[in-house]
Amino acid sequence: GDSVTQMEGPVTLSEEAFLTINCTYTATGYPSLFWYVQYPGEGLQLLLKATKADDKGSNKGFEATYRKETTSFHLEKGSVQVSDSAVYFCALTPNNYGQNFVFGPGTRLSVLP
Amino acid sequence: DAGITQSPRHKVTETGTPVTLRCHQTENHRYMYWYRQDPGHGLRLIHYSYGVKDTDKGEVSDGYSVSRSKTEDFLLTLESATSSQTSVYFCAIMRAGGEYEQYFGPGTRLTVT
């Protein structure tokens, strides 16, 4: 079945450091890919998405590129801030409307001042 | 903000008691979902609904039932709560338009003692 694998955390960085969180997936067909962010005590928020190969999703300084050849969707940010501390989830849906959304286990990011 | 509320936000209950969690949305979205979030597992789909009285099982549906008698409300019931159902439960909606984006409620933390 479809699955998502994320790098294990926690990830601890200093403010203004470069961030990469790796995500790889297994899916048949052409899934849509997402990154969600969860701040303490809150629900998940959609951070960015990509719906086809070579698409780049971006939002709030975060970027991720849909790489079909490597089945990857790595999250990057050039300069993290303390306010970016959260748990980040990679997810996919096989685009069979309303059905299977698959989430990775999440990667906790802590940014130190 | 997709106008999603969940109630209660926190609940402690005893093993063997029935529990109902409510998800309410204000934007008349057709698709609604119930997930549970556990450390190391990310989010796992319990049940989803694709319309009033139309529901289907997800990955971890055993021990749970759902009902949707109105577009705006999606109820999750634990018929006889067990300690393994201690978790954080999230409701989500999916907006129409082919983008497959999900939006989440704030969550309900359930403890079964």
Side-chain angles (χ1 to χ4, degrees):
Chain A
D2 298 340
S3 65
V4 173
T5 302
Q6 289 181 237
M7 63 187 291
E8 292 189 18
V11 174
T12 302
L13 296 173
S14 298
E15 203 164 26
E16 299 184 0
F18 184 86
L19 169 70
T20 300
I21 300 178
N22 291 336
C23 171
T24 56
Y25 67 90
T26 301
T28 55
Y30 300 91
S32 291
L33 303 175
F34 305 86
W35 277 101
Y36 285 84
V37 59
Q38 184 180 32
Y39 299 103
E42 298 183 9
L44 279 69
Q45 300 175 24
L46 178 63
L47 181 59
L48 52 84
K49 69 180 184 200
T51 57
K52 61 183 186 296
D54 300 325
D55 269 2
K56 176 184 284 188
S58 61
N59 186 26
K60 299 180 181 180
F62 291 89
E63 294 183 338
T65 300
Y66 190 142
R67 301 288 189 198
K68 189 163 179 62
E69 64 276 14
T70 55
T71 62
S72 65
F73 192 55
H74 304 323
L75 182 68
E76 296 181 337
K77 187 176 185 183
S79 176
V80 294
Q81 305 301 311
V82 172
S83 57
D84 294 326
S85 298
V87 181
Y88 293 82
F89 293 89
C90 186
L92 68 80
T93 179
N95 295 329
N96 53 358
Y97 225 112
Q99 296 185 24
N100 204 19
F101 285 79
V102 179
F103 287 81
T107 301
R108 182 176 299 278
L109 170 66
S110 295
V111 181
L112 304 178
Chain B
D1 184 3
I4 306 168
T5 57
Q6 293 185 231
S7 59
R9 294 293 313 279
H10 302 272
K11 186 170 182 66
V12 179
T13 192
E14 293 183 349
T15 298
T17 60
V19 177
T20 295
L21 309 183
R22 178 180 183 241
C23 177
H24 179 78
Q25 56 134 337
T26 60
E27 298 182 353
N28 291 321
H29 297 291
R30 180 181 173 192
Y31 288 87
M32 299 184 74
Y33 305 79
W34 276 108
Y35 291 91
R36 59 178 291 172
Q37 183 179 29
D38 304 290
H41 290 279
L43 270 72
R44 292 180 291 175
L45 182 65
I46 305 171
H47 283 278
Y48 71 97
S49 170
Y50 48 96
V52 173
K53 300 190 188 303
D54 293 323
T55 65
D56 207 348
K57 296 179 180 180
E59 175 188 359
V60 290
S61 59
D62 287 348
Y64 302 94
S65 63
V66 291
S67 66
R68 193 167 177 200
S69 59
K70 299 184 290 184
T71 299
E72 58 266 35
D73 289 326
F74 191 31
L75 304 181
L76 176 70
T77 297
L78 291 66
E79 303 290 349
S80 177
T82 68
S83 59
S84 65
Q85 294 176 311
T86 292
S87 187
V88 181
Y89 292 86
F90 287 100
C91 174
I93 60 92
M94 183 171 67
R95 286 190 167 143
E99 294 295 305
Y100 304 103
E101 298 173 6
Q102 288 191 314
Y103 293 85
F104 288 81
T108 295
R109 181 173 297 276
L110 177 67
T111 302
V112 183
T113 61

